[in-house]
Amino acid sequence: MTVPPQEYTSVDPPLAAGFPPVTREGWRAAALAVLRKSGVQTDDPEHALASTTHDGVTVLPLYDASDAPGEQGVPGASPYTRGGRPLPGWDIRQRHGTADSEAVLADLENGVDSVWLTLTPGGIRPGDLPRVLNGVYLDLAPVVLDAGADTLEAAEALFALADGVSGNLGADPLGLAARTGDASEPTVAEGLRVAAGLAARCAAGRPGLRAITVDALPYHEAGGSDAEELACALATGVAYLRALTETGLSVDDALGQLDFRYAATADQFATIAKLRAARLMWDRVAGAVRATTTSGQRQHAVTSPAMMTARDPWVNMLRTTLACFAAGVGGADAVTVLPFDTCLGLPDDFSRRIARNTQSLLQQEAHAARVADPAGGSWYAERLTADLARAAWAWFQEIERAGGMAAALRSGLVADRLAGTWERRRSDIAHRRDPITGVSEFPDLAERRPVRPPAPEVRAGGLPRIRYAQDFEALRDRADALPERPAVFLATIGPPAAHTARATFAANLFQAGGFATPASGPVIGTGTGPREIAAAFVGSGARVACLCASDKLYDEHAAPVAAALRAAGAQYVWLAGKGEYEGVDGTIYTGCDALGVLRATFDHLEVSR
């Protein structure tokens, strides 16, 4: 018997019929019950479960209509919070740093829309552009340059190739000053003069070509927060508007010469909110300078170099996929996915293919580009956008009060602010409050990383280029450089049910520093005791030990086992837990300073030699 498909009408009960109504007060009561059961005494579950970003923005556990910041407009119209680019899709942009025309053509023939060429002394030079772009249809594929001090020479080389070339010349004197540390008045003034001259030429006769890129990556890579990145970009953009209009360009023409570049991280909601907030603030600037025509801020999002890891680099594919998704649905006009092996040297054909296919998959298979501003209307996303914009605007005003972006770079205001944020983030990473998969969590000591030739050296001397994983990876490198892998012996006490959880925790922590973690196995309570654990310790070759058991077993066995380990030659004895016991030198636990523990362990190993 065939059952006909059910047809539903407006009189049918809604899907939620039969369920009790959901209210904030009902949620608060349920949340309070769980919190109190877990030992948290509070009458304010929202506060107890809230978190705070590095910008001081409070992220609540629950949002409803009362949290909405108000009307945000519609896609394609001022204030452009909800996006400015037409559907479907964003521009897939691949970065190249070497004069490899075959790689450029391979990307363009297999899904890439535009190329981003970074020029460096050891990589592409301005004179290489004819060879690098040989075979590229410059009237179809936009070219974005990033030439630093060689911007004028590179621009002239690109002008000579074709009249109809499109893209961006990449003039960014303030970004260069941030990278190199040379923000002196003569240097910045000359850079602004060159940028203004190129902008005038593009505005006069090259409608598809823009002159200036406001690159916010230097501030992100120095450890800055999202609001700090946004504010530095906004202050830089305002400085360029002043320079261009002072040399004769109209406000509308000046606005038309600027592109903005931002970092996209694996925190998808933060990235979406950042791009939306950037457009909102730039529209406010456009209104303040009385622009008559504007299509909103043009954005180029790049998957964050700071979040990439050299250890377990395959995990970078997951990070960049999340970041790319967030950048695309957040409204970026162009997106660059850094290859997963970026930290290891020059990407190869496979990693570049994965990078471009990540975007193609999201666009063509996941259809992520077919909806304008899918985060629009989300109470959380809208509130986060508004709060982030407010924090960024406050920092932007501080920069303006200091005399503008150039003055803030010269005085150290920007560097000091970013350094403070990096130290707070660094502490969160060290305590594993911000875990890094494959590095600070779930490290693979047996990994076989791909080998890549070295990449050209990048500009340096100004703001630092940090990576979130760098401190843990430095310890891994330190361990790998030793003739024999160092070890921390896990003295597992009692049956597996009593020690497995803490032994797993301890192994994960110590392996993050490159330590092997041999274990004694279940010995207490099975007919053996401290003597057998000490014998296993001697056999492991380790010089440092860590006790792993339940609190109940620690009360009886921690002191005698620690004494036996000392007698067997242990230089230092850790304990997985928070108790204090005779013979134990230090403890490890959730939220402890893991980097401090690992460094102390290395120090004790060196003393033992």
Side-chain angles (χ1 to χ4, degrees):
M1 176 179 176
T2 302
V3 179
Q6 177 69 55
E7 294 184 0
Y8 293 96
T9 69
S10 59
V11 298
D12 287 308
L15 293 177
F19 291 93
V22 178
T23 65
R24 179 179 282 271
E25 287 307 311
W27 175 86
R28 294 183 86 255
L32 281 172
V34 173
L35 286 169
R36 288 167 178 167
K37 187 176 181 181
S38 63
V40 178
Q41 297 302 316
T42 181
D43 293 324
D44 186 353
E46 286 92 346
H47 177 76
L49 295 171
S51 61
T52 303
T53 71
H54 293 290
D55 293 309
V57 173
T58 299
V59 178
L60 299 173
L62 180 71
Y63 290 84
D64 61 21
S66 65
D67 297 299
E71 179 59 43
Q72 298 298 305
V74 297
S78 178
Y80 299 102
T81 309
R82 304 204 60 196
R85 61 172 164 79
L87 294 175
W90 57 85
D91 183 282
I92 299 175
R93 182 170 295 169
Q94 193 88 309
R95 186 179 72 172
H96 288 268
T98 59
D100 188 344
S101 60
E102 292 185 3
V104 170
L105 287 175
D107 281 338
L108 291 171
E109 292 169 354
N110 290 279
V112 166
D113 300 307
S114 63
V115 292
W116 171 22
L117 304 179
T118 57
L119 281 67
T120 56
I124 303 173
R125 303 298 298 149
D128 296 328
L129 290 180
R131 176 161 55 90
V132 174
L133 297 173
N134 183 38
V136 175
Y137 293 104
L138 296 176
D139 56 336
L140 299 177
V143 176
V144 174
L145 301 180
D146 182 4
D150 296 325
T151 294
L152 181 57
E153 185 181 355
E156 296 291 359
L158 190 62
F159 287 153
L161 291 179
D163 291 332
V165 64
S166 61
N168 194 300
L169 300 177
D172 185 19
L174 291 176
L176 180 64
R179 288 289 196 200
T180 63
D182 184 4
S184 63
E185 291 188 22
T187 300
V188 172
E190 174 60 17
L192 291 174
R193 185 192 66 79
V194 169
L198 292 173
R201 293 168 68 180
C202 291
R206 297 178 182 272
L209 193 62
R210 292 176 288 277
I212 297 175
T213 297
V214 178
D215 190 356
L217 291 184
Y219 316 107
H220 170 78
E221 289 187 80
S225 65
D226 291 332
E228 289 162 354
E229 180 186 348
L230 287 174
C232 289
L234 192 65
T236 301
V238 168
Y240 292 158
L241 283 183
R242 292 191 182 109
L244 296 187
T245 53
E246 287 172 1
T247 56
L249 280 183
S250 69
V251 167
D252 292 340
D253 284 343
L255 286 168
Q257 288 301 307
L258 272 62
D259 284 349
F260 287 73
R261 182 177 295 137
Y262 298 104
T265 71
D267 187 337
Q268 63 178 2
F269 286 107
T271 295
I272 291 170
K274 177 165 67 176
L275 296 177
R276 298 172 91 247
R279 293 192 296 272
L280 174 64
M281 292 191 297
W282 190 241
D283 187 69
R284 185 174 180 182
V285 169
V289 297
R290 295 181 173 84
T292 57
T293 60
T294 176
S295 58
Q297 186 183 86
R298 284 181 293 269
Q299 298 176 331
H300 172 203
V302 182
T303 57
S304 164
M307 74 175 179
M308 302 291 274
T309 66
R311 294 287 176 170
D312 209 350
W314 314 102
V315 182
N316 289 328
M317 296 184 195
L318 303 179
R319 298 185 181 100
T320 54
T321 298
L322 270 172
C324 179
F325 170 81
V329 302
D333 300 281
V335 179
T336 295
V337 170
L338 297 182
F340 73 88
D341 52 359
T342 295
C343 296
L344 303 179
L346 282 177
D348 67 357
D349 294 342
F350 171 74
S351 59
R352 285 196 307 272
R353 177 183 174 222
I354 292 295
R356 65 179 182 253
N357 281 358
T358 296
Q359 303 208 52
S360 296
L361 186 151
L362 286 171
Q363 286 194 11
Q364 304 300 325
E365 296 188 33
H367 305 302
R370 292 196 176 188
V371 178
D373 189 33
S378 161
W379 299 316
Y380 170 43
E382 298 287 12
R383 183 76 263 164
L384 185 58
T385 297
D387 289 347
L388 185 57
R390 185 177 297 107
W393 192 265
W395 171 226
F396 160 67
Q397 290 179 310
E398 187 176 343
I399 294 173
E400 287 293 285
R401 286 194 295 269
M405 193 62 189
L409 286 171
R410 280 193 293 271
S411 68
L413 174 66
V414 171
D416 291 345
R417 177 69 171 261
L418 300 181
T421 301
W422 166 231
E423 285 308 312
R424 292 192 295 274
R425 188 191 301 272
R426 199 176 199 175
S427 176
D428 286 343
I429 294 170
H431 289 78
R432 301 199 296 179
R433 291 188 288 266
D434 289 345
I436 304 174
T437 303
V439 180
S440 66
E441 298 281 359
F442 313 113
D444 180 9
L445 295 187
E447 69 174 339
R448 299 181 62 183
R449 294 183 292 168
V451 177
R452 300 286 185 260
E457 292 187 7
V458 296
R459 293 182 290 271
L463 296 176
R465 268 188 164 101
I466 61 94
R467 287 189 301 107
Y468 302 147
Q470 65 185 35
D471 291 335
F472 279 97
E473 291 186 342
L475 292 177
R476 290 281 297 275
D477 293 342
R478 184 176 175 183
D480 290 350
L482 296 174
E484 187 175 322
R485 181 168 297 283
V488 174
F489 177 78
L490 303 185
T492 50
I493 302 171
H499 66 67
T500 296
R502 280 177 166 161
T504 301
F505 170 82
N508 191 35
L509 189 155
F510 287 112
Q511 287 173 17
F515 293 95
T517 53
S520 58
V523 291
I524 297 295
T526 58
T528 55
R531 181 181 303 175
E532 289 73 18
I533 291 179
F537 170 76
V538 172
S540 72
R543 292 293 178 266
V544 173
C546 180
L547 306 186
C548 303
S550 63
D551 290 342
K552 183 178 180 180
L553 286 176
Y554 281 153
D555 291 339
E556 180 180 356
H557 300 291
V561 171
L565 291 169
R566 290 282 193 194
Q571 300 293 317
Y572 202 85
V573 177
W574 294 100
L575 180 141
K578 289 188 175 182
E580 295 183 6
Y581 302 93
E582 184 178 354
V584 172
D585 299 298
T587 58
I588 62 173
Y589 49 87
T590 300
C592 72
D593 183 355
L595 273 175
V597 168
L598 295 171
R599 287 168 176 155
T601 302
F602 269 111
D603 292 342
H604 291 296
L605 288 173
E606 291 177 355
V607 169
S608 70
R609 293 195 188 94

